[in-house]
Amino acid sequence: MKDKEIKLTELDVDKFIKEKVRGISSAVGKGCAINALSGGVDSSTVTMLGHKALGTRLKTYFINNGLMREDEPQRVVSLFKRLGVPVEIIDARRQFLGALKGVTDPEEKREAITQTFYKDVFGALVKKSGAQYLLQGTILTDVDETVAGIKRQHNVFEQLGIDPHKVFGYKILEPLVQLRKDGVRKVAHVLGLPESTYNRIPFPGPALSARVIGEATAERLDIVRRATVIVEEELAGTDAFQYMAILHQDRVTGMRDGKRDFGLQIEVRCWDSVDARVAKPTRLPYETLERLAERITGEVPGVVSVTYNITTKPPSTIEAV
Ligand code: XMP
């Protein structure tokens, strides 16, 4: 790995920002770059760094892959409009859902997302914009887990010996790759992003498809999306590192209106962690768990069972896929 980790205690944020802005400017030269903004803290931070370095020579896209949370495209575009950064929405729902059709294995699912993002969607955007570079928010934890063979994080190439220029036809710049989540949050704060962004819970690149066990169809994604709204509303007041809803593949027998209902299961996870390397389930009050169960079974069609994960990472990982 070419760059070494910058620990939170060693991070001089102003110096970091200056160096990365200079690095992006000199790499891109007089050309232009593209980046995909998902609204998470990593991609938002990269967008601000890229905007500082390149101004209008950075084209920022929000890829609507059909896997995002409720109302996310409009929310992200209007936030960045306020920050003076234009964002174009690309409707790629058909491509992603097509690539995920029939795919049930977790690593195959991750690979399908990677190929669709980098080959199909960014490949076309690079051609359209004439950009030679893609800026992205890979952080050190993404690299670690991919290299260790735990999970193929959707945005890691070079460390696996893959040359994006050869495979996809453009170069990738990763200004955050020396940081972990806690460091990125500090940089995001200094760059002027709002607290709702720099303190936002992490969200994975493969998005809600990482939270559907088995095939991620439009219908199943919609179920997990609805459950996610409830989990995020109910747990927003906790200071947990991350929380999520997961749709299981197995059904269980339940009952509704006095009749048998062989229904769906949602697992809730809520994690205490600093940097996602290790994590513990948050000791949520029982009343909160009860409210989650009541709301999810009452408001999400077909769900008859809600469970809470009580396993630490390791041996669990944070996402289920
Ligand atoms: P895991 O599930 O590996 O997650 O314990 C560790 C942290 O990384 C996030 N995550 C991802 N982030 N691309 C990303 O950018 C990915 O493919 C990906 N997979 C997991 C996860 O949400 C957690 O914060």
Side-chain angles (χ1 to χ4, degrees), residues 110 142 145 151 153-155 202 204-206 242 276 313 317-319:
R110 285 174 167 271
D142 301 337
E145 293 200 354
K151 260 180 210 189
Q153 307 266 326
H154 80 291
N155 48 3
Q242 193 169 1
K313 172 183 178 176
T317 56
I318 288 180
E319 304 290 345

